[in-house]
């Protein structure tokens, strides 16, 4: 069955800047990892902010703003959002015409994921007993203080498992970047599969790199989950997947 | 899940070419009373779909004529034609394993493919060219230096401009659209200064654009590629039957008529004309029928 595999395809010369296809594949992997990590950072920062906004009592305008953000970004398909950022937004704001497609993809993927993370942060905060908030207030903390010292440290521990999924998803979702000419792994698979007429071998290589990337994030998050666990408080069960 | 497993099994079976095939297509057509034609969804005027399982295009019609001649040659009163849509990725495995008898799409005849399959005599020679805005200062490939060049992911044009970059010491930025319409949008919206692609695809996209007069195709030819009808390897009787039909169609003027119909006159579904006059290379291929691979054509 293995007789017709041709793994040497990875050693051929693509005729460009990289001497072989496997080196080129690694550089494409670099684009996938860069897009994913930058979008993840953006998504965590923005998602945390929006998630907090949605739980502020007595500030209905800010809650509404957070709701609009979440609904706007999670109701539009990711691929459509990518095209909106690439073709439509620069037509409205000419200053953005000079942005590279890499930056636009990071924005699109980061904001899309921020809406999902915001919901997790919100649910994490709302899972906590109401008494925690009131205890913070009773201590004389200001709103930023009781979020910082009471609510968020607990909420983040609770939501680590779904955050892990989100962080892994961002690697897989980064594959849409191929549509706006970021030369990441999916682009590589489509392009080189055609060039070499060995699409199956190429897809095997690309799949392995996606699995390695997403699984690395999974392991890092598992370590974080274990390190931050407070015995007897939350998430006492093992696992971490 | 089961469906996925089946698909995977099918891919593996196809990729390994595990199914042994006897190489007598004519006998197979005669005994089964059917022939399977490989068709493409979107290969410009060469082969495309009108939707609802209806396929058409230049190569599609050439094949329809070939099949008519095969039926006559085999003395069959009826011959059922099955249509199998193929993609760039699966067309060669499907021809090799016997699923497709006659692939009538837009496959470049090159030396590496000739090791796996055979090609009928070439009826269409594609020229890879450069489209720019009509008012662009770009006059030739050398003017691309420092510019942004668009092409389509999954095409050999990407490879070609990459090699040109290395070979000619040109320094330009590449952007890739996910399909031809996207790449053309890059040129139209000014994100790219030029679009490098098969001549008929460039001409087709320009003719369908909002303002066809705003674009032009440069005279430079980056690469010449014979596009052929693909058949199984090592089946000389079948190849002869197909080539005989092609020769007869060239002689009767049928091919010239079909070229006119698909490349110069308005075609469905939008009823715009591709507007690509017969190139000297295609004319030469008709005058001197052959199945030479791309490597034997003079390249720029």
């Amino acid at each position: 069955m293995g007789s017709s595999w041709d793994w040497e395809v990875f050693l051929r010369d693509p005729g460009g800047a990289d001497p072989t296809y496997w080196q080129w594949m690694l550089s494409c992997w670099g684009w996938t990892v860069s897009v994913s990590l930058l979008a993840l950072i953006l998504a965590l920062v923005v998602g945390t902010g929006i998630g907090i906004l949605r739980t502020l009592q007595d500030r209905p305008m800010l809650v509404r703003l957070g709701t609009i953000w979440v609904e706007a970004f999670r109701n539009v398909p990711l691929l459509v959002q990518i095209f909106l950022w690439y073709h439509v937004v620069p037509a409205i704001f000419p200053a953005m015409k000079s942005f590279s497609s890499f930056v636009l993809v990071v924005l699109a993927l980061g904001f899309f994921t921020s809406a999902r993370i915001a919901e997790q942060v919100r649910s994490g905060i709302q899972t906590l007993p109401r008494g925690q908030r009131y205890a913070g207030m009773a201590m004389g903390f200001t709103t930023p203080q009781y979020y910082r010292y009471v609510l968020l440290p607990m909420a983040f521990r609770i939501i680590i498992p779904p955050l892990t999924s989100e962080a892994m998803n961002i690697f897989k979702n980064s594959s849409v970047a191929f549509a706006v000419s970021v030369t990441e792994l999916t682009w590589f698979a489509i392009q080189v599969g055609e060039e070499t007429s060995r699409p199956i071998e190429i897809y095997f290589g690309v799949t392995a790199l996606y699995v390695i990337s997403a699984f690395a994030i999974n392991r890092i998050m598992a370590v974080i989950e274990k390190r931050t666990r407070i015995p007897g408080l939350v998430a006492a069960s093992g696992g971490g997947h | 899940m089961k469906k996925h497993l089946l698909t995977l099994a099918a891919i593996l079976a196809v990729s390994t070419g595990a199914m042994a095939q006897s190489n007598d297509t004519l006998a197979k057509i005669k005994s089964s009373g059917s022939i399977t034609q490989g068709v493409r969804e979107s290969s410009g005027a060469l082969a495309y779909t009108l939707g609802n399982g209806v396929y058409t295009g230049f190569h599609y019609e050439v094949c329809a004529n070939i099949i008519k001649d095969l039926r006559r040659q085999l003395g069959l009163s009826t011959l059922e034609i099955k249509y199998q849509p193929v993609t760039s990725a699966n067309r060669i495995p499907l021809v090799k394993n016997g699923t497709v008898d006659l692939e009538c799409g837009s496959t470049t005849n090159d030396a590496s493919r000739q090791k796996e399959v055979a090609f009928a005599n070439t009826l269409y020679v594609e020229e890879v060219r450069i489209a720019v805005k009509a008012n662009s200062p770009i006059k030739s490939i050398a003017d691309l230096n420092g510019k942004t060049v668009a092409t389509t992911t999954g095409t050999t044009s990407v490879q070609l401009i990459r090699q040109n970059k290395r070979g000619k010491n040109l320094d330009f930025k590449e952007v890739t659209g996910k399909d031809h319409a996207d790449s053309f949008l890059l040129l139209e919206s000014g994100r790219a200064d030029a679009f490098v692609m098969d001549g008929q695809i460039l001409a087709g996209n320009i003719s369908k654009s909002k303002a066809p007069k705003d674009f032009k195709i440069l005279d430079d030819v980056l690469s010449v590629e014979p596009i052929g009808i693909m058949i199984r390897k090592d089946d000389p009787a079948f190849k002869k039957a197909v080539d005989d039909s092609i020769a007869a169609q060239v002689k009767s003027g049928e091919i010239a008529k079909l070229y006119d119909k698909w490349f110069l006159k308005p075609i469905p579904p939008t009823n715009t004309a591709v507007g690509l006059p017969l190139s000297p290379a295609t004319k030469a291929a008709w005058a001197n029928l052959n199945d030479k691979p791309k490597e034997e054509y003079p390249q720029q």
Side-chain angles (χ1 to χ4, degrees):
Chain A
M1 181 129 167
S3 61
S4 70
W5 296 119
D6 179 13
W7 296 104
E8 282 176 11
V9 58
F10 285 103
L11 300 176
R12 285 192 219 156
D13 178 7
D18 294 285
T20 59
Y21 277 116
W22 74 264
Q23 279 159 305
W24 192 18
M25 182 167 73
L26 290 190
S27 106
C28 292
W29 189 24
W31 284 105
T32 289
V33 172
S34 313
V35 166
S36 309
L37 289 184
L38 289 175
L40 180 60
I41 292 167
L42 180 67
L44 282 173
V45 172
V46 176
T48 304
I50 299 289
I52 291 172
L53 283 193
R54 296 199 70 188
T55 61
L56 290 178
Q57 295 174 333
D58 314 323
R59 305 296 291 272
M61 279 314 286
L62 289 179
V63 173
R64 214 163 292 151
L65 192 75
T67 310
I68 290 171
W69 181 276
V70 169
E71 298 308 337
F73 283 104
R74 75 173 173 183
N75 281 312
V76 179
L78 180 55
L79 190 59
V80 174
Q81 289 194 32
I82 295 267
F83 282 120
L84 287 176
W85 281 98
Y86 194 61
H87 289 296
V88 181
V89 175
I92 302 171
F93 306 102
M96 289 183 72
K97 273 202 176 121
S98 58
F99 284 28
S100 71
S101 50
F102 175 79
V103 173
L104 296 174
V105 165
V106 168
L107 289 178
L109 189 56
F111 288 153
F112 172 80
T113 312
S114 80
R116 304 170 56 91
I117 289 181
E119 281 301 89
Q120 291 166 9
V121 170
R122 177 175 77 96
S123 57
I125 292 171
Q126 288 179 341
T127 306
L128 300 173
R130 239 180 309 168
Q132 299 241 345
R133 188 187 290 263
Y134 296 144
M137 288 173 173
M139 292 286 287
F141 283 164
T142 61
T143 306
Q145 279 176 330
Y146 72 72
Y147 266 93
R148 165 73 186 81
Y149 295 111
V150 183
L151 299 181
L152 289 179
M154 294 288 289
F156 270 117
R157 285 185 173 91
I158 295 170
I159 63 166
I160 283 179
L163 269 187
T164 306
S165 295
E166 234 27 86
M168 292 167 76
N169 271 342
I170 223 165
F171 269 92
K172 292 173 276 177
N173 286 343
S174 73
S175 65
V176 295
F178 97 88
V180 292
S181 75
V182 175
T183 56
E184 45 69 73
L185 283 176
T186 301
W187 180 90
F188 178 86
I190 294 170
Q191 177 56 36
V192 176
E194 172 67 20
E195 275 177 30
T196 59
S197 306
R198 310 294 320 182
I200 293 169
E201 286 85 344
I202 299 292
Y203 270 114
F204 261 111
V206 165
T207 305
L209 293 183
Y210 272 118
V211 171
I212 290 170
S213 319
F215 195 66
I217 285 286
N218 171 301
R219 291 294 85 195
I220 292 168
M221 293 297 280
V223 169
I224 294 174
E225 186 180 352
K226 211 169 169 187
R227 284 281 171 85
T228 56
R229 187 179 299 151
I230 299 173
L233 212 52
V234 283
S237 61
H241 297 279
Chain B
M1 189 62 208
K2 214 166 205 170
K3 209 171 160 193
H4 288 150
L5 280 176
L6 276 175
T7 315
L8 185 68
I11 290 171
L12 285 175
V14 162
S15 67
T16 51
M19 295 173 223
Q21 274 296 323
S22 69
N23 273 332
D24 193 347
T25 311
L26 288 175
K28 184 183 137 188
I29 293 169
K30 191 162 190 179
S31 67
S32 65
S34 74
I35 181 165
T36 306
Q37 178 180 347
V39 288
R40 291 295 296 255
E41 301 284 340
S42 165
S43 288
L46 283 173
Y48 64 100
T49 177
L50 291 170
N52 293 324
V54 178
Y55 296 89
T56 190
F58 176 73
H59 261 167
Y60 173 89
E61 290 214 323
V62 171
C63 280
N65 290 336
I66 292 174
I67 291 170
K68 241 183 268 161
D69 289 345
L70 288 174
R71 184 175 65 86
R72 210 170 301 136
Q73 186 190 333
L74 293 170
L76 296 169
S77 54
T78 57
L79 177 55
E80 188 199 352
I81 308 173
K82 294 176 182 162
Y83 297 108
Q84 168 72 50
V86 299
T87 66
S88 302
N90 69 16
R91 59 192 167 184
I92 290 175
L94 289 178
V95 167
K96 278 175 77 177
N97 78 6
T99 308
V100 168
D101 300 311
L102 201 57
E103 196 256 1
C104 311
S106 56
T107 307
T108 299
N109 178 348
D110 69 27
S112 76
R113 286 178 181 154
Q114 284 206 0
K115 285 180 202 147
E116 318 218 14
V117 291
F119 288 87
N121 284 340
T122 305
L123 286 173
Y124 180 77
V125 182
E126 187 64 270
E127 296 175 328
V128 177
R129 293 169 73 176
I130 306 166
V132 294
K133 290 255 177 80
N135 56 7
S136 165
I138 300 172
K139 301 269 182 285
S140 73
I141 181 164
D143 297 331
L144 292 179
N145 217 359
K147 298 286 197 283
T148 303
V149 178
T151 181
T152 306
T153 306
T155 65
T156 44
S157 297
V158 180
Q159 197 175 12
L160 192 65
I161 66 172
R162 206 165 62 222
Q163 285 157 354
N164 261 291
K165 223 163 145 179
R166 188 152 87 175
K168 295 200 169 60
N169 271 322
L170 286 173
D171 183 34
F172 50 77
K173 206 171 149 258
E174 285 167 52
V175 288
T176 52
K178 76 168 170 29
D179 51 39
H180 298 315
D182 261 7
S183 306
F184 189 73
L185 183 59
L186 291 172
L187 174 67
E188 206 174 20
S189 65
R191 276 188 181 269
D193 303 303
F195 176 17
V196 172
M197 190 42 62
D198 298 356
Q200 61 117 351
I201 303 225
L202 293 179
N205 272 291
I206 290 173
S207 72
K208 277 182 266 176
S209 70
K210 277 172 274 173
K213 285 198 172 63
D214 288 355
F215 303 94
K216 64 178 175 192
I217 297 176
L218 302 182
D219 293 332
D220 273 14
V221 175
L222 269 65
S223 163
V224 181
E225 307 199 346
I227 310 290
I229 290 166
M230 192 161 55
I231 53 180
R232 258 180 303 288
K233 206 172 148 64
D234 302 323
D235 189 351
F238 186 59
K239 177 162 165 53
K240 184 172 182 303
V242 171
D243 282 345
D244 284 351
S245 167
I246 285 176
Q249 291 183 55
V250 170
K251 207 170 160 210
S252 71
E254 172 75 9
I255 293 294
K257 229 166 60 195
L258 287 178
Y259 188 94
D260 248 35
K261 175 177 174 188
W262 290 103
F263 292 98
L264 296 169
K265 297 206 175 112
I267 54 169
T270 54
N271 281 318
T272 45
V274 172
L276 191 73
L278 185 61
S279 71
T282 299
K283 210 186 276 179
W286 295 354
N288 204 343
L289 288 169
N290 68 81
D291 63 353
K292 281 191 292 194
K294 178 187 168 185
E295 284 75 5
E296 287 177 40
Y297 279 71
Q299 300 292 334
Q300 202 218 2

